[in-house]
Amino acid sequence: MGILSKLFKKETERVAADILRDIINKNGNTASQQPQAYTNPSVAQVNQPVPSKPAKASPSGFSWGDTMPDEENQFNFNGSYVEYFDGIFRTEFPQYRLECEAPRKKATVFTFYSGMQKALVVELLASSSASKKLRMNCAEQKIPYLRFYYDHHGWWNTRSYVITRTRNALKL
């Protein structure tokens, strides 16, 4: 037996004795009476089935969390994520000319133009992407840049979230 196992064994025995003592004191039982069974919550939770949909009380942000928001988002939209973003950009920002291209696999780029000038570049990427080139090019040219991940668990890209971030980047 190594030093760690000896240490943890003693710690486990101490915790069990403390719990037993607390149960006896709490229930007014004496040592001759049989204590109530103690279930370690962390062990009990391991054996329980994981709910398929977390409770509404789980923490969520503006457009993220374990529970899908009731608001329209890219995952409950009847179409691809590219169609989802394209529809929002074209309906909410009609004053801009919009170009869409797929420069590489798993990437889509929307460019907003005000007249002939680039007003904003939006990149849709897989969450596994480590691409930084477009973002750096935009920074060098002082063009606002946004990135949305289309496949990150719990990031819903709700309609209001996409509109708010886009509007803030365009400074409308």
Side-chain angles (χ1 to χ4, degrees), residues 11-75:
E11 179 66 17
T12 303
E13 288 172 4
R14 188 190 61 75
V15 170
D18 288 347
I19 291 169
L20 185 59
R21 199 172 16 261
D22 287 346
I23 291 171
I24 290 170
N25 291 338
K26 189 181 220 179
N27 294 327
N29 292 339
T30 62
S32 63
Q33 293 175 318
Q34 198 165 10
Q36 295 177 353
Y38 172 76
T39 305
N40 183 344
S42 61
V43 173
Q45 290 172 359
V46 170
N47 296 327
Q48 292 179 357
V50 177
S52 58
K53 189 174 183 181
K56 290 268 186 194
S58 64
S60 292
F62 184 30
S63 184
W64 60 268
D66 287 331
T67 305
M68 183 185 295
D70 292 335
E71 181 183 356
E72 180 183 56
N73 62 73
Q74 75 177 62
F75 296 99

Side-chain angles (χ1 to χ4, degrees), residues 131-165:
S131 177
K132 296 178 184 174
K133 185 175 178 11
L134 181 59
R135 179 174 26 195
M136 289 175 23
N137 289 347
C138 287
E140 287 172 5
Q141 297 172 23
K142 298 188 182 350
I143 299 169
Y145 169 89
L146 285 179
R147 174 179 285 186
F148 292 96
Y149 293 111
Y150 59 80
D151 65 347
H152 195 284
H153 174 73
W155 292 9
W156 304 103
N157 292 322
T158 58
R159 184 176 186 85
S160 60
Y161 175 74
V162 172
I163 292 168
T164 300
R165 284 192 66 205

